[in-house]
Amino acid sequence: MSEKIHYVPIAKPCMGEPEAEAASRAIMSGWVTQGPEVAAFEQEFAAYVGANYACAVSNCTTALHLALLAVGVQPGDEVITVSHSYIATANSIRYCGAIPVFVDIEPQTYNINPLLIADVISDSLRDSSASRTRAILIVHQMGMPCDLKAILDVAHQHNLPVIEDAACAIGSEILWNGEWEKIGKPHGDIACFSFHPRKVITTGDGGMLTTNNPEWDKQFRLWRQHGMSVPDTVRHGAKQVIFESYPMLGYNYRMTDIQAAVGREQLKRLSEITERRRYLAQQYQQMLADVPGLKLPTEPDWAKSNWQSYCVRLPEKCDQRQVMQVMLDAGVATRRGIMCAHREPAYQIEAWLCGSRECQCEKANCDRLCESEQAQDRTILLPLFHQMTQHEQDYVVKVLKMACQV
Ligand SMILES: *Cc1c(COP(=O)(O)O)cnc(C)c1O
C-alpha cells in the first residue's frame, strides 16, 4: 500500500546540506557581498553555458534592464517582445523609458512567432521617419528554446540586437550547426537568467548575464555596483590607498557572496536536475496522451527543454478555474497559463503597442495577441519538481483526468 497523498505542490527547490554549508562558508569568511564567491560562480556558469563572459546580478529583471541599456535602448525606443511572459520581461523595457511592442506566440511552443516579427519592425508603425525599433527581446518560455535561427535571421536583416530572456532556461539546449548547445552561449547578443526559487536552480533571488562581448561585460560590472570605477575587491586588496570615482550613473544590482556560494552548489546539481525533469516530462507525455481533447506541449526536434514548467492545454469543454479548483480540492496545486502583460492594469495606459494601427484592441483584449490570451486562459501548469515521486505523478495524472471529466 502506498502512502496517501495530502498535497502535491507546483514546484519545490532542490536544495540541502551542501547549499547550507556553502552559505555558512561565505558567512564565516567575513566577505558576504559580491566578492570571491560571485567571481567563482560567474566563471563556473560561463563554462557551463559556453559563454565567454558571465556577470552575476541581483535578479533576472535587473539583468534584463542592463542588457537593454547595453544594446542602446533609450527613452522612446521600441523593443519587440511578447506579452505572454512574466511581467518582468515587459517591465524591463519600460525601465529604459522604452515601449514594448507585443508580438503573438506560437500555440504549440508558447514562444514568440518568428513570422510576425518583421511586420512590426518597420518605420511604418507610428511615424514615417527612421525605424524606432531598437532591439528584440525574446523569451525561452517555461524553458522551451525559441526558434533562434528564424529570429536571428530577421534580426540580422534589420541589424537589430537580440536579447534572450532565459530566466527559465538554464540547462535547456538547442541544436546549432549540428551540435547541441546550451541556451546562454549566447546565440543572440546577451542572455539573462533567473535564480528565483520557481526556476530550475535557485540562489533565493539572483540573476546572470552572459555575452561574448567584452565591452558589454565591463559595462555590466560598472552598472551593477553604482557605476563605481574600482570594485570593492580591488580596493580591499590594494597596498596603496585608492580613491574611487563614479564616471556614470549606476545601480545597486549586486549579487551577494552568500547567494553565489549557494549558486555554485546548485550548478553542480544542474545536470541531474535537468535529466530528472526531462524524465518526468516524458512520463507526463505518455500518461496523458490518451486524455481526449487535452493538448500536450510539443518540443521541436531542434530543442531540448529543461521543463521548468509543464503546461497542458485543456479540452474545449473544460473551464480552467474549475479544473484547477477540483485539482486543488484533491490536493494538487496547479497554476494557470503564463500571464499576458497587456491585460494587466499596469499596462492599461499607453504603455505598449501591438504593432498595428488598425488593430481595434481594447487593451485587455487584443485581436493581434489572441494566441497569447488563449494560452493564458486555456492552459494550466502541472506540478513538476526534482523530488517528485512516481506515486505523486500518478496521482496528479489521475486527478487531472478526473477534473477533465467534471
Ligand atoms: C521569473 C522570470 C523573470 C524574472 O526573474 P527574477 O529573477 O524574478 O527577476 C523574467 N522573465 C521570465 C520569463 C521569468 O519567468
Side-chain angles (χ1 to χ4, degrees), residues 338-350:
I338 303 294
M339 65 176 295
C340 290
H342 75 277
R343 292 168 130 182
E344 292 301 318
Y347 281 75
Q348 294 307 291
I349 48 169
E350 287 293 316

Side-chain angles (χ1 to χ4, degrees), residues 59-61 64 85-86 88-89 139 141 165 167-168 194 196 199 206:
N59 55 66
C60 184
T61 311
L64 291 167
S85 182
Y86 187 57
T89 307
V139 182
Q141 195 53 264
D165 180 342
C168 302
S194 171
H196 181 272
K199 318 299 185 192

